[in-house]
PDB file of all heavy atoms in Angstrom:
ATOM      1  N   TYR A  30      19.908 -15.286  24.950  1.00  0.00           N
ATOM      2  CA  TYR A  30      21.319 -15.614  25.128  1.00  0.00           C
ATOM      3  C   TYR A  30      22.155 -14.342  25.342  1.00  0.00           C
ATOM      4  O   TYR A  30      23.016 -14.295  26.230  1.00  0.00           O
ATOM      5  CB  TYR A  30      21.851 -16.368  23.913  1.00  0.00           C
ATOM      6  CG  TYR A  30      21.317 -17.777  23.742  1.00  0.00           C
ATOM      7  CD1 TYR A  30      21.667 -18.533  22.634  1.00  0.00           C
ATOM      8  CD2 TYR A  30      20.475 -18.363  24.674  1.00  0.00           C
ATOM      9  CE1 TYR A  30      21.210 -19.832  22.457  1.00  0.00           C
ATOM     10  CE2 TYR A  30      19.999 -19.658  24.516  1.00  0.00           C
ATOM     11  CZ  TYR A  30      20.366 -20.384  23.399  1.00  0.00           C
ATOM     12  OH  TYR A  30      19.897 -21.665  23.222  1.00  0.00           O
ATOM     13  N   ARG A  31      21.910 -13.338  24.529  1.00  0.00           N
ATOM     14  CA  ARG A  31      22.674 -12.090  24.654  1.00  0.00           C
ATOM     15  C   ARG A  31      22.402 -11.422  25.998  1.00  0.00           C
ATOM     16  O   ARG A  31      23.325 -10.957  26.677  1.00  0.00           O
ATOM     17  CB  ARG A  31      22.314 -11.144  23.496  1.00  0.00           C
ATOM     18  CG  ARG A  31      22.979  -9.771  23.573  1.00  0.00           C
ATOM     19  CD  ARG A  31      22.598  -8.914  22.381  1.00  0.00           C
ATOM     20  NE  ARG A  31      23.226  -9.426  21.177  1.00  0.00           N
ATOM     21  CZ  ARG A  31      24.437  -9.068  20.767  1.00  0.00           C
ATOM     22  NH1 ARG A  31      25.164  -8.208  21.469  1.00  0.00           N
ATOM     23  NH2 ARG A  31      24.935  -9.554  19.643  1.00  0.00           N
ATOM     24  N   THR A  32      21.132 -11.380  26.394  1.00  0.00           N
ATOM     25  CA  THR A  32      20.761 -10.743  27.661  1.00  0.00           C
ATOM     26  C   THR A  32      21.456 -11.435  28.833  1.00  0.00           C
ATOM     27  O   THR A  32      21.992 -10.775  29.736  1.00  0.00           O
ATOM     28  CB  THR A  32      19.236 -10.775  27.853  1.00  0.00           C
ATOM     29  OG1 THR A  32      18.619 -10.065  26.764  1.00  0.00           O
ATOM     30  CG2 THR A  32      18.833 -10.142  29.164  1.00  0.00           C
ATOM     31  N   ALA A  33      21.456 -12.762  28.831  1.00  0.00           N
ATOM     32  CA  ALA A  33      22.091 -13.512  29.917  1.00  0.00           C
ATOM     33  C   ALA A  33      23.602 -13.278  29.934  1.00  0.00           C
ATOM     34  O   ALA A  33      24.199 -13.113  31.007  1.00  0.00           O
ATOM     35  CB  ALA A  33      21.796 -14.998  29.761  1.00  0.00           C
ATOM     36  N   ALA A  34      24.219 -13.252  28.769  1.00  0.00           N
ATOM     37  CA  ALA A  34      25.666 -13.036  28.708  1.00  0.00           C
ATOM     38  C   ALA A  34      26.048 -11.673  29.260  1.00  0.00           C
ATOM     39  O   ALA A  34      27.011 -11.539  30.035  1.00  0.00           O
ATOM     40  CB  ALA A  34      26.147 -13.189  27.273  1.00  0.00           C
ATOM     41  N   LEU A  35      25.307 -10.650  28.883  1.00  0.00           N
ATOM     42  CA  LEU A  35      25.643  -9.290  29.303  1.00  0.00           C
ATOM     43  C   LEU A  35      25.343  -9.058  30.776  1.00  0.00           C
ATOM     44  O   LEU A  35      25.990  -8.229  31.432  1.00  0.00           O
ATOM     45  CB  LEU A  35      24.894  -8.276  28.443  1.00  0.00           C
ATOM     46  CG  LEU A  35      25.279  -8.269  26.960  1.00  0.00           C
ATOM     47  CD1 LEU A  35      24.396  -7.303  26.174  1.00  0.00           C
ATOM     48  CD2 LEU A  35      26.746  -7.906  26.772  1.00  0.00           C
ATOM     49  N   ALA A  36      24.367  -9.791  31.319  1.00  0.00           N
ATOM     50  CA  ALA A  36      23.993  -9.606  32.723  1.00  0.00           C
ATOM     51  C   ALA A  36      24.842 -10.433  33.675  1.00  0.00           C
ATOM     52  O   ALA A  36      24.861 -10.164  34.888  1.00  0.00           O
ATOM     53  CB  ALA A  36      22.520  -9.971  32.918  1.00  0.00           C
ATOM     54  N   ALA A  37      25.560 -11.414  33.171  1.00  0.00           N
ATOM     55  CA  ALA A  37      26.300 -12.344  34.029  1.00  0.00           C
ATOM     56  C   ALA A  37      27.415 -11.629  34.778  1.00  0.00           C
ATOM     57  O   ALA A  37      28.076 -10.724  34.242  1.00  0.00           O
ATOM     58  CB  ALA A  37      26.891 -13.476  33.196  1.00  0.00           C
ATOM     59  N   ASP A  38      27.648 -12.064  36.012  1.00  0.00           N
ATOM     60  CA  ASP A  38      28.798 -11.560  36.771  1.00  0.00           C
ATOM     61  C   ASP A  38      30.081 -12.220  36.309  1.00  0.00           C
ATOM     62  O   ASP A  38      31.144 -11.606  36.312  1.00  0.00           O
ATOM     63  CB  ASP A  38      28.567 -11.811  38.259  1.00  0.00           C
ATOM     64  CG  ASP A  38      27.349 -11.048  38.756  1.00  0.00           C
ATOM     65  OD1 ASP A  38      27.411  -9.814  38.812  1.00  0.00           O
ATOM     66  OD2 ASP A  38      26.327 -11.705  39.041  1.00  0.00           O
ATOM     67  N   ARG A  39      29.978 -13.496  35.923  1.00  0.00           N
ATOM     68  CA  ARG A  39      31.087 -14.173  35.251  1.00  0.00           C
ATOM     69  C   ARG A  39      30.502 -15.152  34.256  1.00  0.00           C
ATOM     70  O   ARG A  39      29.352 -15.593  34.380  1.00  0.00           O
ATOM     71  CB  ARG A  39      32.002 -14.923  36.228  1.00  0.00           C
ATOM     72  CG  ARG A  39      32.825 -14.000  37.101  1.00  0.00           C
ATOM     73  CD  ARG A  39      34.069 -14.683  37.641  1.00  0.00           C
ATOM     74  NE  ARG A  39      35.087 -14.888  36.633  1.00  0.00           N
ATOM     75  CZ  ARG A  39      35.937 -13.929  36.205  1.00  0.00           C
ATOM     76  NH1 ARG A  39      35.874 -12.697  36.686  1.00  0.00           N
ATOM     77  NH2 ARG A  39      36.840 -14.213  35.304  1.00  0.00           N
ATOM     78  N   ILE A  40      31.328 -15.502  33.258  1.00  0.00           N
ATOM     79  CA  ILE A  40      30.947 -16.463  32.226  1.00  0.00           C
ATOM     80  C   ILE A  40      31.954 -17.599  32.249  1.00  0.00           C
ATOM     81  O   ILE A  40      33.164 -17.377  32.407  1.00  0.00           O
ATOM     82  CB  ILE A  40      30.901 -15.787  30.841  1.00  0.00           C
ATOM     83  CG1 ILE A  40      29.727 -14.805  30.768  1.00  0.00           C
ATOM     84  CG2 ILE A  40      30.797 -16.831  29.724  1.00  0.00           C
ATOM     85  CD1 ILE A  40      29.739 -13.939  29.530  1.00  0.00           C
ATOM     86  N   ILE A  41      31.443 -18.805  32.123  1.00  0.00           N
ATOM     87  CA  ILE A  41      32.282 -19.994  31.947  1.00  0.00           C
ATOM     88  C   ILE A  41      32.118 -20.464  30.509  1.00  0.00           C
ATOM     89  O   ILE A  41      31.006 -20.508  29.981  1.00  0.00           O
ATOM     90  CB  ILE A  41      31.864 -21.110  32.917  1.00  0.00           C
ATOM     91  CG1 ILE A  41      32.227 -20.741  34.354  1.00  0.00           C
ATOM     92  CG2 ILE A  41      32.516 -22.441  32.535  1.00  0.00           C
ATOM     93  CD1 ILE A  41      31.683 -21.719  35.376  1.00  0.00           C
ATOM     94  N   THR A  42      33.222 -20.838  29.879  1.00  0.00           N
ATOM     95  CA  THR A  42      33.141 -21.455  28.565  1.00  0.00           C
ATOM     96  C   THR A  42      34.169 -22.566  28.477  1.00  0.00           C
ATOM     97  O   THR A  42      35.028 -22.719  29.343  1.00  0.00           O
ATOM     98  CB  THR A  42      33.335 -20.421  27.444  1.00  0.00           C
ATOM     99  OG1 THR A  42      32.900 -20.981  26.195  1.00  0.00           O
ATOM    100  CG2 THR A  42      34.782 -19.959  27.323  1.00  0.00           C
ATOM    101  N   ASP A  43      34.070 -23.381  27.412  1.00  0.00           N
ATOM    102  CA  ASP A  43      34.800 -24.648  27.363  1.00  0.00           C
ATOM    103  C   ASP A  43      36.200 -24.546  26.780  1.00  0.00           C
ATOM    104  O   ASP A  43      36.981 -25.488  26.944  1.00  0.00           O
ATOM    105  CB  ASP A  43      34.017 -25.658  26.511  1.00  0.00           C
ATOM    106  CG  ASP A  43      32.580 -25.840  26.964  1.00  0.00           C
ATOM    107  OD1 ASP A  43      32.295 -25.560  28.147  1.00  0.00           O
ATOM    108  OD2 ASP A  43      31.742 -26.252  26.141  1.00  0.00           O
ATOM    109  N   SER A  44      36.533 -23.467  26.075  1.00  0.00           N
ATOM    110  CA  SER A  44      37.814 -23.393  25.371  1.00  0.00           C
ATOM    111  C   SER A  44      38.243 -21.945  25.205  1.00  0.00           C
ATOM    112  O   SER A  44      37.429 -21.014  25.275  1.00  0.00           O
ATOM    113  CB  SER A  44      37.691 -24.043  23.983  1.00  0.00           C
ATOM    114  OG  SER A  44      36.743 -23.335  23.188  1.00  0.00           O
ATOM    115  N   SER A  45      39.527 -21.754  24.970  1.00  0.00           N
ATOM    116  CA  SER A  45      40.030 -20.410  24.689  1.00  0.00           C
ATOM    117  C   SER A  45      39.432 -19.866  23.398  1.00  0.00           C
ATOM    118  O   SER A  45      39.161 -18.662  23.278  1.00  0.00           O
ATOM    119  CB  SER A  45      41.561 -20.435  24.583  1.00  0.00           C
ATOM    120  OG  SER A  45      42.137 -20.782  25.832  1.00  0.00           O
ATOM    121  N   PHE A  46      39.222 -20.752  22.428  1.00  0.00           N
ATOM    122  CA  PHE A  46      38.557 -20.323  21.195  1.00  0.00           C
ATOM    123  C   PHE A  46      37.197 -19.724  21.488  1.00  0.00           C
ATOM    124  O   PHE A  46      36.855 -18.643  20.987  1.00  0.00           O
ATOM    125  CB  PHE A  46      38.405 -21.518  20.253  1.00  0.00           C
ATOM    126  CG  PHE A  46      37.461 -21.274  19.101  1.00  0.00           C
ATOM    127  CD1 PHE A  46      37.848 -20.516  18.016  1.00  0.00           C
ATOM    128  CD2 PHE A  46      36.165 -21.788  19.118  1.00  0.00           C
ATOM    129  CE1 PHE A  46      36.973 -20.259  16.964  1.00  0.00           C
ATOM    130  CE2 PHE A  46      35.291 -21.549  18.072  1.00  0.00           C
ATOM    131  CZ  PHE A  46      35.699 -20.796  16.991  1.00  0.00           C
ATOM    132  N   SER A  47      36.388 -20.402  22.312  1.00  0.00           N
ATOM    133  CA  SER A  47      35.056 -19.883  22.613  1.00  0.00           C
ATOM    134  C   SER A  47      35.128 -18.580  23.400  1.00  0.00           C
ATOM    135  O   SER A  47      34.280 -17.697  23.227  1.00  0.00           O
ATOM    136  CB  SER A  47      34.233 -20.922  23.375  1.00  0.00           C
ATOM    137  OG  SER A  47      33.729 -21.899  22.492  1.00  0.00           O
ATOM    138  N   ARG A  48      36.130 -18.434  24.264  1.00  0.00           N
ATOM    139  CA  ARG A  48      36.280 -17.148  24.968  1.00  0.00           C
ATOM    140  C   ARG A  48      36.487 -16.021  23.970  1.00  0.00           C
ATOM    141  O   ARG A  48      35.862 -14.950  24.084  1.00  0.00           O
ATOM    142  CB  ARG A  48      37.449 -17.209  25.953  1.00  0.00           C
ATOM    143  CG  ARG A  48      37.679 -15.874  26.667  1.00  0.00           C
ATOM    144  CD  ARG A  48      38.652 -15.998  27.829  1.00  0.00           C
ATOM    145  NE  ARG A  48      39.952 -16.497  27.391  1.00  0.00           N
ATOM    146  CZ  ARG A  48      40.916 -16.846  28.225  1.00  0.00           C
ATOM    147  NH1 ARG A  48      40.739 -16.769  29.540  1.00  0.00           N
ATOM    148  NH2 ARG A  48      42.066 -17.289  27.762  1.00  0.00           N
ATOM    149  N   GLU A  49      37.333 -16.226  22.987  1.00  0.00           N
ATOM    150  CA  GLU A  49      37.561 -15.201  21.969  1.00  0.00           C
ATOM    151  C   GLU A  49      36.290 -14.920  21.173  1.00  0.00           C
ATOM    152  O   GLU A  49      35.984 -13.761  20.843  1.00  0.00           O
ATOM    153  CB  GLU A  49      38.674 -15.657  21.035  1.00  0.00           C
ATOM    154  CG  GLU A  49      40.037 -15.752  21.709  1.00  0.00           C
ATOM    155  CD  GLU A  49      41.078 -16.424  20.820  1.00  0.00           C
ATOM    156  OE1 GLU A  49      40.730 -16.774  19.664  1.00  0.00           O
ATOM    157  OE2 GLU A  49      42.223 -16.597  21.283  1.00  0.00           O
ATOM    158  N   GLU A  50      35.530 -15.965  20.872  1.00  0.00           N
ATOM    159  CA  GLU A  50      34.299 -15.791  20.112  1.00  0.00           C
ATOM    160  C   GLU A  50      33.236 -15.040  20.924  1.00  0.00           C
ATOM    161  O   GLU A  50      32.508 -14.202  20.382  1.00  0.00           O
ATOM    162  CB  GLU A  50      33.752 -17.161  19.687  1.00  0.00           C
ATOM    163  CG  GLU A  50      34.583 -17.870  18.644  1.00  0.00           C
ATOM    164  CD  GLU A  50      34.398 -17.268  17.272  1.00  0.00           C
ATOM    165  OE1 GLU A  50      33.418 -17.615  16.582  1.00  0.00           O
ATOM    166  OE2 GLU A  50      35.220 -16.427  16.886  1.00  0.00           O
ATOM    167  N   ILE A  51      33.137 -15.320  22.218  1.00  0.00           N
ATOM    168  CA  ILE A  51      32.182 -14.613  23.071  1.00  0.00           C
ATOM    169  C   ILE A  51      32.549 -13.142  23.165  1.00  0.00           C
ATOM    170  O   ILE A  51      31.689 -12.256  23.078  1.00  0.00           O
ATOM    171  CB  ILE A  51      32.137 -15.262  24.471  1.00  0.00           C
ATOM    172  CG1 ILE A  51      31.525 -16.664  24.386  1.00  0.00           C
ATOM    173  CG2 ILE A  51      31.334 -14.403  25.448  1.00  0.00           C
ATOM    174  CD1 ILE A  51      31.767 -17.500  25.636  1.00  0.00           C
ATOM    175  N   THR A  52      33.839 -12.864  23.325  1.00  0.00           N
ATOM    176  CA  THR A  52      34.310 -11.472  23.377  1.00  0.00           C
ATOM    177  C   THR A  52      33.960 -10.746  22.084  1.00  0.00           C
ATOM    178  O   THR A  52      33.496  -9.596  22.102  1.00  0.00           O
ATOM    179  CB  THR A  52      35.828 -11.445  23.625  1.00  0.00           C
ATOM    180  OG1 THR A  52      36.096 -11.970  24.927  1.00  0.00           O
ATOM    181  CG2 THR A  52      36.371 -10.039  23.541  1.00  0.00           C
ATOM    182  N   ALA A  53      34.164 -11.412  20.958  1.00  0.00           N
ATOM    183  CA  ALA A  53      33.855 -10.786  19.671  1.00  0.00           C
ATOM    184  C   ALA A  53      32.364 -10.586  19.468  1.00  0.00           C
ATOM    185  O   ALA A  53      31.929  -9.576  18.902  1.00  0.00           O
ATOM    186  CB  ALA A  53      34.432 -11.645  18.535  1.00  0.00           C
ATOM    187  N   ALA A  54      31.558 -11.554  19.919  1.00  0.00           N
ATOM    188  CA  ALA A  54      30.110 -11.480  19.690  1.00  0.00           C
ATOM    189  C   ALA A  54      29.436 -10.454  20.574  1.00  0.00           C
ATOM    190  O   ALA A  54      28.522  -9.736  20.131  1.00  0.00           O
ATOM    191  CB  ALA A  54      29.480 -12.853  19.925  1.00  0.00           C
ATOM    192  N   TYR A  55      29.879 -10.341  21.851  1.00  0.00           N
ATOM    193  CA  TYR A  55      29.152  -9.531  22.837  1.00  0.00           C
ATOM    194  C   TYR A  55      29.956  -8.374  23.417  1.00  0.00           C
ATOM    195  O   TYR A  55      29.450  -7.642  24.258  1.00  0.00           O
ATOM    196  CB  TYR A  55      28.683 -10.430  23.991  1.00  0.00           C
ATOM    197  CG  TYR A  55      27.700 -11.517  23.595  1.00  0.00           C
ATOM    198  CD1 TYR A  55      27.828 -12.804  24.113  1.00  0.00           C
ATOM    199  CD2 TYR A  55      26.659 -11.256  22.713  1.00  0.00           C
ATOM    200  CE1 TYR A  55      26.923 -13.800  23.780  1.00  0.00           C
ATOM    201  CE2 TYR A  55      25.768 -12.245  22.360  1.00  0.00           C
ATOM    202  CZ  TYR A  55      25.898 -13.513  22.891  1.00  0.00           C
ATOM    203  OH  TYR A  55      25.005 -14.508  22.542  1.00  0.00           O
ATOM    204  N   ARG A  56      31.220  -8.246  22.969  1.00  0.00           N
ATOM    205  CA  ARG A  56      32.106  -7.195  23.493  1.00  0.00           C
ATOM    206  C   ARG A  56      32.276  -7.307  25.011  1.00  0.00           C
ATOM    207  O   ARG A  56      32.326  -6.311  25.727  1.00  0.00           O
ATOM    208  CB  ARG A  56      31.590  -5.795  23.123  1.00  0.00           C
ATOM    209  CG  ARG A  56      31.449  -5.561  21.632  1.00  0.00           C
ATOM    210  CD  ARG A  56      32.821  -5.576  20.950  1.00  0.00           C
ATOM    211  NE  ARG A  56      32.726  -5.238  19.544  1.00  0.00           N
ATOM    212  CZ  ARG A  56      32.713  -6.142  18.560  1.00  0.00           C
ATOM    213  NH1 ARG A  56      32.759  -7.439  18.851  1.00  0.00           N
ATOM    214  NH2 ARG A  56      32.650  -5.767  17.306  1.00  0.00           N
ATOM    215  N   ILE A  57      32.334  -8.524  25.500  1.00  0.00           N
ATOM    216  CA  ILE A  57      32.562  -8.793  26.916  1.00  0.00           C
ATOM    217  C   ILE A  57      34.055  -8.970  27.130  1.00  0.00           C
ATOM    218  O   ILE A  57      34.707  -9.724  26.391  1.00  0.00           O
ATOM    219  CB  ILE A  57      31.794 -10.056  27.356  1.00  0.00           C
ATOM    220  CG1 ILE A  57      30.289  -9.791  27.306  1.00  0.00           C
ATOM    221  CG2 ILE A  57      32.201 -10.495  28.763  1.00  0.00           C
ATOM    222  CD1 ILE A  57      29.444 -11.028  27.527  1.00  0.00           C
ATOM    223  N   PRO A  58      34.655  -8.315  28.120  1.00  0.00           N
ATOM    224  CA  PRO A  58      36.096  -8.448  28.344  1.00  0.00           C
ATOM    225  C   PRO A  58      36.494  -9.900  28.608  1.00  0.00           C
ATOM    226  O   PRO A  58      35.812 -10.630  29.332  1.00  0.00           O
ATOM    227  CB  PRO A  58      36.352  -7.576  29.579  1.00  0.00           C
ATOM    228  CG  PRO A  58      35.200  -6.641  29.636  1.00  0.00           C
ATOM    229  CD  PRO A  58      34.029  -7.372  29.066  1.00  0.00           C
ATOM    230  N   ALA A  59      37.618 -10.307  28.033  1.00  0.00           N
ATOM    231  CA  ALA A  59      38.082 -11.686  28.208  1.00  0.00           C
ATOM    232  C   ALA A  59      38.343 -12.008  29.674  1.00  0.00           C
ATOM    233  O   ALA A  59      38.190 -13.168  30.096  1.00  0.00           O
ATOM    234  CB  ALA A  59      39.348 -11.910  27.389  1.00  0.00           C
ATOM    235  N   GLY A  60      38.706 -10.993  30.471  1.00  0.00           N
ATOM    236  CA  GLY A  60      38.981 -11.218  31.875  1.00  0.00           C
ATOM    237  C   GLY A  60      37.765 -11.612  32.691  1.00  0.00           C
ATOM    238  O   GLY A  60      37.894 -12.059  33.836  1.00  0.00           O
ATOM    239  N   LYS A  61      36.585 -11.447  32.127  1.00  0.00           N
ATOM    240  CA  LYS A  61      35.347 -11.816  32.810  1.00  0.00           C
ATOM    241  C   LYS A  61      34.917 -13.243  32.479  1.00  0.00           C
ATOM    242  O   LYS A  61      33.926 -13.747  32.988  1.00  0.00           O
ATOM    243  CB  LYS A  61      34.246 -10.829  32.385  1.00  0.00           C
ATOM    244  CG  LYS A  61      32.949 -10.909  33.153  1.00  0.00           C
ATOM    245  CD  LYS A  61      31.978  -9.841  32.650  1.00  0.00           C
ATOM    246  CE  LYS A  61      30.629  -9.945  33.318  1.00  0.00           C
ATOM    247  NZ  LYS A  61      29.678  -8.911  32.811  1.00  0.00           N
ATOM    248  N   ILE A  62      35.706 -13.905  31.613  1.00  0.00           N
ATOM    249  CA  ILE A  62      35.329 -15.224  31.097  1.00  0.00           C
ATOM    250  C   ILE A  62      36.353 -16.249  31.546  1.00  0.00           C
ATOM    251  O   ILE A  62      37.557 -16.114  31.296  1.00  0.00           O
ATOM    252  CB  ILE A  62      35.250 -15.203  29.558  1.00  0.00           C
ATOM    253  CG1 ILE A  62      34.304 -14.095  29.078  1.00  0.00           C
ATOM    254  CG2 ILE A  62      34.800 -16.567  29.031  1.00  0.00           C
ATOM    255  CD1 ILE A  62      34.333 -13.869  27.574  1.00  0.00           C
ATOM    256  N   ASP A  63      35.903 -17.304  32.217  1.00  0.00           N
ATOM    257  CA  ASP A  63      36.772 -18.385  32.676  1.00  0.00           C
ATOM    258  C   ASP A  63      36.696 -19.564  31.705  1.00  0.00           C
ATOM    259  O   ASP A  63      35.599 -20.041  31.391  1.00  0.00           O
ATOM    260  CB  ASP A  63      36.357 -18.855  34.068  1.00  0.00           C
ATOM    261  CG  ASP A  63      36.573 -17.786  35.112  1.00  0.00           C
ATOM    262  OD1 ASP A  63      37.730 -17.406  35.331  1.00  0.00           O
ATOM    263  OD2 ASP A  63      35.572 -17.323  35.700  1.00  0.00           O
ATOM    264  N   VAL A  64      37.843 -20.014  31.235  1.00  0.00           N
ATOM    265  CA  VAL A  64      37.910 -21.198  30.383  1.00  0.00           C
ATOM    266  C   VAL A  64      38.023 -22.429  31.279  1.00  0.00           C
ATOM    267  O   VAL A  64      38.989 -22.584  32.022  1.00  0.00           O
ATOM    268  CB  VAL A  64      39.112 -21.142  29.424  1.00  0.00           C
ATOM    269  CG1 VAL A  64      39.226 -22.437  28.634  1.00  0.00           C
ATOM    270  CG2 VAL A  64      38.967 -19.948  28.480  1.00  0.00           C
ATOM    271  N   VAL A  65      36.999 -23.278  31.224  1.00  0.00           N
ATOM    272  CA  VAL A  65      36.961 -24.498  32.038  1.00  0.00           C
ATOM    273  C   VAL A  65      36.701 -25.671  31.086  1.00  0.00           C
ATOM    274  O   VAL A  65      35.566 -25.880  30.654  1.00  0.00           O
ATOM    275  CB  VAL A  65      35.861 -24.419  33.111  1.00  0.00           C
ATOM    276  CG1 VAL A  65      35.845 -25.698  33.943  1.00  0.00           C
ATOM    277  CG2 VAL A  65      36.065 -23.194  34.006  1.00  0.00           C
ATOM    278  N   PRO A  66      37.732 -26.435  30.732  1.00  0.00           N
ATOM    279  CA  PRO A  66      37.538 -27.544  29.787  1.00  0.00           C
ATOM    280  C   PRO A  66      36.602 -28.615  30.328  1.00  0.00           C
ATOM    281  O   PRO A  66      36.468 -28.805  31.542  1.00  0.00           O
ATOM    282  CB  PRO A  66      38.954 -28.104  29.602  1.00  0.00           C
ATOM    283  CG  PRO A  66      39.867 -27.023  30.062  1.00  0.00           C
ATOM    284  CD  PRO A  66      39.132 -26.282  31.139  1.00  0.00           C
TER     285      PRO A  66
END
């Protein structure tokens, strides 16, 4: 999971909460993560 997240060109997640959690878990910039409900 970590390898895929760090290698991704973009990440999709379901909520703003999850975007914050992904940023905290993997140090991935929030701007690279799209919230798509």
